Amino acid sequence: TEMGLGALLFKSLLISVWGLGVDPSQQIDVLTELGLGESTTGVRQVPGLHNGTKAFLFQDTPRSIKASTATAEQFFQKLRNKHEFTVLVTLKQTHLNSGVIFSIHHLDHRYLELESSGHRNEVRLHYHSSGSHHPHTEVFPYILADDKWHKLSLAISASHLILHVDCNKIYERVVEKPSTDLPVGTSFWLGQRNNAHGYFKGIMQDVQLLVMPQGFIAQCPDLNRTCPTCNDFHGLVQKIMELQDILAKTSAKLSRAEQRMNRLDQCYCERTCTMKGTTYRELESWTDGCKNCTCLNGTIQCETLICPNPDCPLKSALAYVDGKCCKECKPVCQFHGRTYFEGERNTVYSSSGVCVLYECKDQTMKLVESSGCPALYCPESHQITLSHSCCKVCKGYDFCSERHNCMENSVCRNLNDRAVCSCRDGFRALREDNAYCEDVDECAEGRHYCRENTMCVNTPGSFMCICKTGYIRIDDYSCTEHDECVTNQHNCDENALCFNTVGGHNCVCKPGYTGNGTTCKAFCKDGCRNGGACIAANVCACPQGFTGPSCETDIDECGTGRHSCANDTICFNLDGGYDCRCPHGKNCTGDCIHDGKVKHNGQIWVLENDRCSVCSCQNGFVMCRRMVCDCENPTVDLFCCPECDPRLSSQCLHQNGETLYNSGDTWVQNCQQCRCLQGEVDCWPLPCPEVECEFSVLLENECCPRCVTDPCQADTIRNDITKTCLDEMNVVRFTGSSWIKHGTECTLCQCKNGHICCSVDPQCLQEL
């Protein structure tokens, strides 16, 4: 089908570009950008999983792998305020190491940090949410620190996370949407959290951040991309909210129009036109920006203004004038071989470095009196010298707040030393400085994506695809007359969902199942333990001797009487079964059965899955206990007995840099439980009880959220899309949507599960 051919072309395109890298504007190649080499302290180049790119061994020595300020800012310009990106890394982590793969943080705020704990066998993602601005940690139980090569990808799409390991989807979750509003001064670290903590030990290769949807396909091209991402869904919701605002404004205009029309019966009416609050009579003409407009039969018709090119008198030249589209003759000054227009300023520095400011007045550059410069609160390296002022400004200064000439459909954007105008998306410039812009008619110019059976309708800055009569919608851009899913003419698995497409259909496995859609197998989120098999979504078939949702609970055959021990033996429960043992005084061999193996009387062994527990067979009984820590024994296992580790290198430094802990010590820091183990600090979130309520709030200096009854006090809401609000204009609002209250400029309202919460923005009031 057409869809199958499209998928093949998409796949071949990814394979063709991966060898050279994806679009550089969407890619951050961390190892290349950091410029690691043999001279970098603490790392050295080694053979990797493949020879296509360089691989580096992160050694157990002091190091500082941190991006420079300029390099970090290049990273963040691509990542800042993006809600759809993927982290890719190929790694081989040392056994039992707990270390940070990369960290993006500002002061104590971890905006994005990926960590692998070999102590607790889990992967952690630390981030800040964009809604409540609270820190969050997502924990994924998985063993990466096993001294084996793994391909890891973490795809983030708005509030949707997908974790792949070795091209297998391991976890898929919906979380608080991470914030990428990275402030100036944010730092980027690789293989460590800072100079003292989170040292990753092992090899890393192909560390990349791709600012694109479902970037894991770049690492694993055979993975399927059939579903829209969460970011696509959030964009659709945003469009719906924008349409709601348009509907509210249109309804208000319609109401006013109906009131006026009711009064037309008593008078003779001449059809007029209204633009930007001004009413024009029939055949009246006027200039609007860079367009000549005329009122014809109640309709405004505009044409692009053709600017004259007059000859200017001596000592004058053509220049743009504020509020006018075309250039006009303005007086000029000649100064140091350059031409300046009336009102323009220029700085000149003397040989001693003193700045002198001149301004063009009456066709002569005149000296401007210095009135002093305001104090700057930024380092000298961040201070910018301006050509039109003797006063420097700090990097990131908001020139747009001073004054700009950007008109309708044009927005002001700050550069390093000035402000410029830029047309909004869907608009084109009417003159070279982008101060005036006009809407692009994507439909008339063929710059749209409407497919067969649709009609393109132009909208301000965009377009819409409307189905022709008799056709049904498939997606935003296409319609069809036949639905293979409804007529059951498809080959989808019974555990798959069917989605109709033009000329065919798509099969996607239901939640809880994995596969290509035509074949779907059950998936159990927590896995089936002790040899159990997953037979349905999160349903395990347990082997004999075990029970529970994940086959995690041993059945006590002795306690329930479900055993076959003879009268002269005693039943002893075992994991997954039981053992019939001879009582004392009977003629018994004294051997034991443990994990299906015979253990001789007096035999001692270490558990395979717990190196810190020791078992022994004593007259038919298996006795297990934790290993006794004899710190005077030179061969004591320091992993099981961290308190016996006397080495200074095994001590840990507290996050505040003031307290030392011995190996084995634990403490609580910033709502996390921390432990020192052989010189490594490993921290994991404190457990919080499940919050089973509609509205909750996380109070300051507390670690766990609380339930509240007042929705306007809540910072976290369990959204219910079936609950809507009716605003002051009787427009239905979806939960989560926000709007400016009708008749006000600074009152922001939000729909929270059927409740309307409004508040006044103080900053908005100050700007009025």
Side-chain angles (χ1 to χ4, degrees):
T1 65
E2 181 179 339
M3 193 66 185
L5 179 60
L8 181 62
L9 289 174
F10 178 71
K11 185 182 196 179
S12 64
L13 177 63
L14 279 177
I15 294 174
S16 67
V17 301
W18 182 241
L20 298 174
V22 297
D23 182 354
S25 66
Q26 297 179 321
Q27 177 192 31
I28 300 174
D29 189 339
V30 177
L31 292 176
T32 301
E33 296 294 337
L34 292 184
L36 302 185
E38 294 299 330
S39 62
T40 307
T41 304
V43 299
R44 62 183 176 87
Q45 187 174 344
V46 295
L49 180 63
H50 60 84
N51 296 325
T53 57
K54 293 181 179 180
F56 292 92
L57 172 64
F58 288 72
Q59 301 168 309
D60 187 11
T61 57
R63 59 177 186 258
S64 181
I65 312 302
K66 176 184 178 183
S68 67
T69 302
T71 301
E73 185 57 28
Q74 290 178 3
F75 290 176
F76 302 151
Q77 284 180 357
K78 297 181 180 181
L79 190 62
R80 189 173 282 122
N81 296 320
K82 297 296 190 300
H83 304 296
E84 197 157 40
F85 55 90
T86 303
V87 178
L88 304 176
V89 60
T90 303
L91 53 80
K92 181 180 181 182
Q93 188 176 7
T94 303
H95 187 59
L96 297 177
N97 167 244
S98 291
V100 171
I101 298 172
F102 77 91
S103 178
I104 298 175
H105 63 266
H106 181 259
L107 302 178
D108 291 333
H109 303 299
R110 291 186 282 189
Y111 282 89
L112 200 66
E113 180 177 294
L114 191 59
E115 179 183 18
S116 170
S117 171
H119 299 165
R120 295 176 62 85
N121 293 330
E122 59 192 25
V123 179
R124 306 184 193 120
L125 174 68
H126 307 281
Y127 66 95
H128 257 240
S129 67
S130 59
S132 60
H133 300 288
H134 290 153
H136 293 273
T137 298
E138 281 297 315
V139 178
F140 307 96
Y142 198 85
I143 304 175
L144 281 181
D146 56 1
D147 211 23
K148 297 178 182 178
W149 281 106
H150 294 288
K151 290 182 177 180
L152 174 74
S153 76
L154 181 65
I156 299 175
S157 177
S159 57
H160 188 211
L161 301 185
I162 302 179
L163 177 68
H164 285 86
V165 179
D166 299 327
C167 298
N168 296 307
K169 185 193 294 184
I170 306 300
Y171 291 99
E172 185 171 9
R173 295 180 183 174
V174 176
V175 300
E176 290 281 338
K177 186 164 74 171
S179 170
T180 53
D181 185 11
L182 306 175
V184 175
T186 302
S187 57
F188 184 99
W189 294 78
L190 181 66
Q192 58 196 104
R193 180 174 298 116
N194 50 44
N195 283 323
H197 297 102
Y199 274 30
F200 174 90
K201 300 172 187 175
I203 304 173
M204 278 198 273
Q205 186 178 21
D206 297 332
V207 185
Q208 308 221 13
L209 275 79
L210 302 184
V211 187
M212 58 184 292
Q214 298 182 330
F216 52 79
I217 300 176
Q219 190 182 69
C220 303
D222 291 333
L223 292 177
N224 195 8
R225 186 201 194 280
T226 57
C227 297
T229 65
C230 259
N231 196 60
D232 296 335
F233 175 75
H234 279 270
L236 178 60
V237 171
Q238 183 62 35
K239 286 292 183 184
I240 293 175
M241 293 180 181
E242 291 174 2
L243 288 175
Q244 281 186 319
D245 283 333
I246 295 174
L247 176 61
K249 295 174 182 177
T250 304
S251 299
K253 292 179 180 179
L254 180 60
S255 177
R256 291 194 296 269
E258 288 176 344
Q259 293 174 7
R260 292 180 179 179
M261 289 179 65
N262 291 334
R263 299 195 295 267
L264 292 181
D265 292 336
Q266 291 99 21
C267 63
Y268 166 77
C269 295
E270 177 184 79
R271 304 198 69 177
T272 60
C273 305
T274 301
M275 174 181 277
K276 300 178 182 177
T278 303
T279 301
Y280 300 93
R281 300 188 63 179
E282 178 74 6
L283 300 179
E284 186 177 356
S285 298
W286 68 96
T287 300
D288 178 47
C290 285
K291 292 185 177 182
N292 279 330
C293 299
T294 304
C295 180
L296 295 174
N297 197 23
T299 302
I300 299 174
Q301 296 186 6
C302 298
E303 295 180 348
T304 301
L305 184 66
I306 299 176
C307 293
N309 193 17
D311 293 329
C312 294
L314 189 64
K315 292 190 176 181
S316 65
L318 290 174
Y320 287 121
V321 179
D322 289 348
K324 296 184 179 180
C325 176
C326 297
K327 293 181 178 180
E328 296 182 0
C329 293
K330 288 182 65 176
V332 297
C333 304
Q334 298 295 331
F335 187 65
H336 287 184
R338 287 190 56 192
T339 300
Y340 296 89
F341 287 100
E342 183 79 10
E344 279 193 287
R345 294 186 172 188
N346 183 55
T347 56
V348 175
Y349 287 86
S350 66
S351 58
S352 59
V354 177
C355 176
V356 181
L357 181 63
Y358 290 91
E359 182 178 354
C360 180
K361 283 186 178 181
D362 301 326
Q363 299 180 341
T364 304
M365 295 298 286
K366 297 182 179 181
L367 182 67
V368 178
E369 294 270 343
S370 175
S371 58
C373 296
L376 297 181
Y377 301 99
C378 58
E380 189 172 351
S381 59
H382 286 190
Q383 294 178 9
I384 307 297
T385 300
L386 306 178
S387 61
H388 61 276
S389 174
C390 286
C391 295
K392 296 182 179 181
V393 296
C394 288
K395 187 177 182 180
Y397 182 76
D398 186 4
F399 295 97
C400 291
S401 63
E402 292 182 341
R403 178 178 172 273
H404 63 82
N405 63 339
C406 304
M407 306 302 289
E408 190 174 3
N409 302 321
S410 175
V411 294
C412 181
R413 302 190 188 280
N414 286 301
L415 297 184
N416 203 32
D417 60 349
R418 67 187 185 281
V420 297
C421 297
S422 176
C423 290
R424 299 182 187 274
D425 290 341
F427 294 84
R428 68 162 65 92
L430 289 172
R431 66 186 205 187
E432 61 269 21
D433 61 355
N434 292 332
Y436 291 86
C437 305
E438 67 175 354
D439 176 49
V440 176
D441 189 342
E442 292 87 356
C443 300
E445 299 181 12
R447 300 170 62 179
H448 61 85
Y449 310 112
C450 297
R451 301 178 63 184
E452 55 266 38
N453 308 322
T454 65
M455 294 181 296
C456 180
V457 177
N458 188 55
T459 60
S462 186
F463 64 92
M464 294 177 62
C465 303
I466 300 176
C467 290
K468 294 181 180 178
T469 304
Y471 291 86
I472 58 175
R473 179 171 297 281
I474 298 175
D475 52 35
D476 287 345
Y477 309 111
S478 55
C479 304
T480 185
E481 59 182 348
H482 180 64
D483 193 334
E484 296 179 358
C485 298
V486 173
T487 57
N488 208 29
Q489 297 177 344
H490 61 82
N491 61 343
C492 298
D493 189 272
E494 62 179 352
N495 293 312
L497 300 174
C498 179
F499 295 95
N500 194 50
T501 62
V502 177
H505 62 277
N506 272 342
C507 302
V508 179
C509 292
K510 294 179 181 178
Y513 294 85
T514 60
N516 59 7
T518 56
T519 302
C520 298
K521 295 183 179 180
F523 174 75
C524 294
K525 175 183 173 183
D526 297 324
C528 298
R529 306 178 189 175
N530 300 310
C534 187
I535 59 173
N538 294 317
V539 177
C540 295
C542 300
Q544 184 177 358
F546 292 94
T547 186
S550 302
C551 306
E552 74 280 6
T553 304
D554 171 59
I555 297 175
D556 186 356
E557 293 86 356
C558 301
T560 58
R562 298 163 62 180
H563 62 86
S564 58
C565 293
N567 293 331
D568 58 346
T569 59
I570 298 175
C571 178
F572 285 87
N573 187 57
L574 302 173
D575 285 344
Y578 62 94
D579 188 21
C580 300
R581 302 175 184 172
C582 295
H584 291 291
K586 297 293 182 179
N587 185 19
C588 300
T589 62
D591 291 342
C592 306
I593 303 296
H594 186 262
D595 287 343
K597 299 178 181 178
V598 176
K599 303 292 184 181
H600 298 296
N601 190 22
Q603 184 176 351
I604 300 174
W605 67 96
V606 177
L607 290 180
E608 293 181 359
N609 58 352
D610 184 3
R611 62 189 263 191
C612 300
S613 294
V614 179
C615 297
S616 63
C617 178
Q618 300 177 10
N619 298 323
F621 296 93
V622 175
M623 309 292 289
C624 295
R625 57 175 173 79
R626 296 289 294 177
M627 180 182 296
V628 177
C629 293
D630 181 7
C631 295
E632 295 183 0
N633 184 353
T635 63
V636 65
D637 190 336
L638 297 182
F639 178 81
C640 300
C641 303
E643 65 271 21
C644 296
D645 193 343
R647 299 171 297 176
L648 292 178
S649 61
S650 296
Q651 293 180 327
C652 300
L653 187 64
H654 188 276
Q655 290 90 333
N656 60 18
E658 298 177 357
T659 307
L660 274 177
Y661 289 99
N662 293 321
S663 185
D665 289 348
T666 61
W667 67 96
V668 175
Q669 172 75 15
N670 292 337
C671 297
Q672 292 194 324
Q673 178 71 53
C674 298
R675 184 189 187 199
C676 176
L677 187 63
Q678 296 182 7
E680 291 185 356
V681 176
D682 193 19
C683 298
W684 56 94
L686 290 173
C688 286
E690 196 72 28
V691 179
E692 296 293 339
C693 57
E694 190 174 11
F695 306 109
S696 60
V697 62
L698 182 61
L699 299 177
E700 190 175 357
N701 299 325
E702 291 192 7
C703 297
C704 297
R706 294 185 180 185
C707 292
V708 292
T709 56
D710 184 357
C712 297
Q713 294 181 354
D715 53 26
T716 302
I717 305 168
R718 186 174 295 172
N719 282 330
D720 184 352
I721 60 174
T722 63
K723 296 179 180 180
T724 58
C725 302
L726 198 64
D727 70 7
E728 64 279 358
M729 299 301 295
N730 290 327
V731 175
V732 176
R733 302 283 185 171
F734 293 111
T735 186
S737 64
S738 58
W739 66 96
I740 300 296
K741 187 174 182 181
H742 180 70
T744 71
E745 295 186 16
C746 297
T747 301
L748 180 67
C749 298
Q750 186 178 10
C751 179
K752 296 184 176 182
N753 283 2
H755 303 272
I756 296 179
C757 298
C758 297
S759 60
V760 177
D761 185 357
Q763 184 176 356
C764 173
L765 291 176
Q766 293 177 359
E767 294 174 353
L768 292 179

